[in-house]
Amino acid sequence: MGLSTVYKSRFWSRIGIPRFWNWTRIQRFRSIPPPADQLAAAVSLDNDAALSSTLKKSRFSDRVCIKSILSQPDGGAGLAGEKVRISGWVKTGREQGKGSFAFLEVNDGSCAENLQVMVDASVSDLSKLVATGTCVTVYGCLKIPPQGKGTKKQKIELRAEKVTDVGTVDPSTYPIPKTKLSLEYLRDYPHLRARTTSIAAIARIRNALAMMIHSFLQEEGFIYVNTPIITTNDCEGGGEMFRVITTLMKQFDKLEKEFVMSIEAAKIIVKEKSEALAKLKAAKASKEEITASVAELTEAKEALAKLEERLKLKKDEKTDSLEFFSRQTFLTVSGQLHAEAYACSMGRVYTLSPAFRAENSHTSRHLSEFWMVEPELAFADIEEAMNCAEALLKFILKGLLEKYFDKGCIDRIKLAASTPFGRVTYTEAIKLLEEAVAQGKTFENQVKWGIDLASEHERYLTEVVFQKLLFVYNYPKDIKAFYMRVNDDGKTVAAFDLLVPKVGELIGGGQREERLDNLIERMEEMGLSIEQYQWYIDFRRHGTAKHSGFGMGFERMVLFATGVDNIRDVIPFPRYSGRADL
């Protein structure tokens, strides 16, 4: 094979397997049409001859999606005269003509836009239809609405001929009325808030982001792996983890209470025996009486000591012997360590998984349960990992430019998608901050070499100094995790953070320590159990390889994409300190 027929792998300093080779096979299978008898059977399922022959019914549901009507190039006007059945929830409803008919704005979740439905009082009881939140299934004919003052931009509406299903709502108790509601208010109703336009839009953007992440990484040859949620290791070394226990612990709690009660009784006996001995000594009792009292006190103390020892053994048994997994386990804070294991066997892998952190924080940037995108690349150094992170983010941002709304948000995304990200070492970043302080800039948090950059420092660097997304790399080793590769200066590690205007840190990563002795030395410095991490050490012991990776907070990516201020509003069911609703 000549050099003209191979190419160097992106984010990999070596010759790689041709890109997309594995997708060719898959596309071949996808291109095979289903047998004719299956097609005929599928067509026969639609036995409602009166329904539109132009619009396709939704698969797995006897209705037409509103999106298929409104997404037509002419806004659906060309479908006038077609008969359709739609289902959805009433966004707004209003009776008109002294109660002779009603207009409903209906949304079925297939798109952001609503379809206007006109219902005559002779067709259905209008009072049961107009309340916001009501669910309806309507059969009727698509018509071009009359043009006149106040006519909306919608080019088509549905004239109802039959209302077949109604899920009614009590307006006095329904918590999502059509009035304007704050995102903070909606957090109290996470099970219903997706019915609002804003939360539904966030959910659609979140879905689009996830699909773009998978698309980019799959096209670049990454293999999607599922890392465990239950783990025995603390990836970050912060100790802020949720412990996994079972209801078996209740049995031990009962025994423990019984032992505590026995111990308290034994302590009273010891106290009484001690007082009795003191009285005998004060009364100058005989040697035989004092000796007998000392023996009783000693026996009481021994009994107390035995009870306390048994309680200690029970506690040890509770935490060790009857652990469900025979050892202490936790909810993971990151899938990185396990992803590394697969990267050091398969080259390129990634995970998109939930992570958990028991951090008692109430800021607008923290959750206790969140999602992480974590690619790992074998045979890549920190520079190549940063290149991969930048390429991934730009791919996502360019995809976003085809959609969304907020002008300020779009301008920010355009700038990020079209501008090379800045790169600066941690030491250089500290010097820039120190220069700002010398010129009169004030920060709440002290600026000096060795600190972990605070949010105000990150925002100043991205929004004032560089005015773009910024990689900060080569951090002091004392503020980074044990697995980061130590640089030649012995003081810094090959770690990086990608800082984003308004959001702060979006991506954190770096080159992993592949040198066995250096890794063990770092773990000992940080007081980590070598025995507990033997599996992680093993792929340095057996065929070690240079490798790097990074993690991107998915919810923070959604924050950046939408311009929403609080991270609790961009995840369907937020969990944070003090709140775990539903």
Side-chain angles (χ1 to χ4, degrees), residues 312-329:
K312 182 178 182 299
L313 289 173
K314 284 292 180 185
K315 285 184 176 180
D316 291 342
E317 185 179 2
K318 177 180 176 181
T319 55
D320 295 328
S321 301
L322 280 189
E323 287 281 357
F324 187 86
F325 297 100
S326 301
R327 65 186 68 187
Q328 288 191 5
T329 52

Side-chain angles (χ1 to χ4, degrees), residues 466-521:
F466 288 89
Q467 298 182 4
K468 59 183 176 180
L469 281 72
L470 177 68
F471 282 109
V472 179
Y473 62 99
N474 288 349
Y475 278 83
K477 69 176 185 179
D478 292 337
I479 62 173
K480 287 297 180 181
F482 71 93
Y483 48 74
M484 293 298 186
R485 193 181 198 276
V486 178
N487 291 324
D488 294 339
D489 60 16
K491 298 188 302 179
T492 62
V493 290
F496 69 83
D497 289 334
L498 177 61
L499 309 182
V500 176
K502 190 175 182 181
V503 175
E505 180 192 338
L506 176 62
I507 293 176
Q511 186 170 341
R512 316 313 186 190
E513 183 59 84
E514 85 283 6
R515 299 164 296 185
L516 178 62
D517 292 342
N518 294 60
L519 179 62
I520 292 175
E521 182 180 342

Side-chain angles (χ1 to χ4, degrees), residues 164-184:
T164 58
D165 294 295
V166 179
T168 59
V169 161
D170 181 355
S172 66
T173 59
Y174 184 57
I176 313 292
K178 63 181 180 181
T179 56
K180 186 175 182 180
L181 303 170
S182 70
L183 293 176
E184 185 176 6

Side-chain angles (χ1 to χ4, degrees), residues 323-355:
E323 287 281 357
F324 187 86
F325 297 100
S326 301
R327 65 186 68 187
Q328 288 191 5
T329 52
F330 308 89
L331 296 181
T332 185
V333 297
S334 170
Q336 177 206 311
L337 302 188
H338 297 90
E340 280 187 59
Y342 265 63
C344 288
S345 299
M346 305 186 74
R348 292 180 170 189
V349 303
Y350 74 101
T351 181
L352 175 53
S353 305

Side-chain angles (χ1 to χ4, degrees), residues 20-136:
F20 308 126
W21 73 273
N22 52 336
W23 291 103
T24 305
R25 293 184 188 174
I26 296 172
Q27 292 301 330
R28 285 177 188 162
F29 286 112
R30 285 179 176 172
S31 64
I32 298 174
D37 58 341
Q38 290 185 21
L39 287 173
V43 171
S44 68
L45 291 175
D46 187 0
N47 55 10
D48 194 340
L51 290 179
S52 167
S53 59
T54 304
L55 288 169
K56 291 184 179 180
K57 288 169 63 176
S58 171
R59 288 190 70 189
F60 323 123
S61 182
D62 186 21
R63 65 188 177 93
V64 170
C65 287
I66 290 174
K67 179 180 179 179
S68 65
I69 299 172
L70 300 182
S71 63
Q72 300 290 323
D74 59 0
L79 299 173
E82 300 282 358
K83 298 291 185 75
V84 298
R85 180 186 294 110
I86 63 101
S87 298
W89 292 267
V90 175
K91 289 288 189 175
T92 63
R94 63 191 188 279
E95 291 186 46
Q96 290 194 344
K98 297 181 179 181
S100 60
F101 64 93
F103 286 111
L104 311 178
E105 295 286 330
V106 179
N107 187 283
D108 65 357
S110 62
C111 63
E113 291 77 19
N114 307 323
L115 176 66
Q116 181 168 280
V117 178
M118 182 182 174
V119 186
D120 192 85
S122 63
V123 173
S124 183
D125 183 350
L126 302 182
S127 65
K128 294 181 179 180
L129 302 181
V130 294
T132 297
T134 301
C135 186
V136 296

Side-chain angles (χ1 to χ4, degrees), residues 7 10 17-27 215-222:
Y7 77 106
R10 289 187 70 189
I17 296 172
R19 192 175 172 188
F20 308 126
W21 73 273
N22 52 336
W23 291 103
T24 305
R25 293 184 188 174
I26 296 172
Q27 292 301 330
S215 176
F216 174 86
L217 293 171
Q218 289 289 329
E219 288 183 3
E220 291 296 343
F222 286 78

Side-chain angles (χ1 to χ4, degrees), residues 382 386 422-435 445-455 457-458 460-461 465-466 470-480 487 489 491-499 505 509:
I382 182 175
M386 287 192 288
R423 299 193 182 190
V424 63
T425 67
Y426 170 88
T427 301
E428 292 167 341
I430 290 295
K431 287 180 180 178
L432 291 170
L433 293 171
E434 288 175 336
E435 289 174 4
N445 297 276
Q446 184 182 9
V447 176
K448 65 176 183 178
W449 198 94
I451 65 165
D452 200 356
L453 295 178
S455 177
H457 303 145
E458 295 171 346
Y460 181 80
L461 290 169
V465 179
F466 288 89
L470 177 68
F471 282 109
V472 179
Y473 62 99
N474 288 349
Y475 278 83
K477 69 176 185 179
D478 292 337
I479 62 173
K480 287 297 180 181
N487 291 324
D489 60 16
K491 298 188 302 179
T492 62
V493 290
F496 69 83
D497 289 334
L498 177 61
L499 309 182
E505 180 192 338

